[in-house]
């Protein structure tokens, strides 16, 4: 028996993440996890992956990230995909 794991596209991941954002803040670890998932979904060395790497270096906050920042970055990444 051979199992194939389907990986969602970056656009699908962005839409999923956008639908889960609620309130004013998101934990920093959740933002980083989301960015890493998007990095893995993008083309190796592609524009999306390069921008995600830049964002990973500059995630604001110590424990939480303002959702305004997170939503703006997700919209920006959606335009790159």
């Amino acid at each position: 028996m051979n199992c194939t794991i389907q990986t969602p596209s970056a656009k699908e991941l962005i839409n999923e993440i956008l639908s889960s954002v609620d309130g004013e803040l998101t934990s920093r670890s959740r933002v980083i996890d989301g960015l890493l998932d998007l990095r893995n979904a993008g083309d190796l060395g592609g524009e999306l992956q390069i921008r995600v790497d830049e964002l990973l270096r500059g995630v604001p906050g110590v424990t939480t990230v303002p959702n305004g920042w997170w939503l703006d970055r997700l919209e920006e990444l959606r335009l790159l995909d």
Side-chain angles (χ1 to χ4, degrees):
M1 182 177 194
N2 193 2
C3 293
T4 303
I5 298 174
Q6 293 277 350
T7 47
S9 71
K11 192 162 295 254
E12 290 170 329
L13 277 172
I14 290 169
N15 289 333
E16 184 180 317
I17 295 168
L18 281 168
S19 69
S20 70
V21 175
D22 186 38
E24 294 181 30
L25 300 169
T26 297
S27 74
R28 191 172 192 271
S29 61
R30 187 170 186 170
V31 170
I32 290 172
D33 286 346
L35 287 170
L36 290 172
D37 288 344
L38 288 168
R39 187 182 193 286
N40 289 332
D43 293 332
L44 186 60
E47 189 176 4
L48 178 74
Q49 195 176 65
I50 291 168
R51 182 60 181 136
V52 168
D53 286 346
E54 292 169 353
L55 293 174
L56 283 166
R57 288 190 292 273
V59 176
V62 175
T63 58
T64 58
V65 175
N67 279 340
W69 182 91
W70 185 215
L71 293 170
D72 288 347
R73 300 300 76 78
L74 289 168
E75 290 297 338
E76 173 190 347
L77 293 172
R78 186 179 2 206
L79 294 175
L80 290 178
D81 184 46

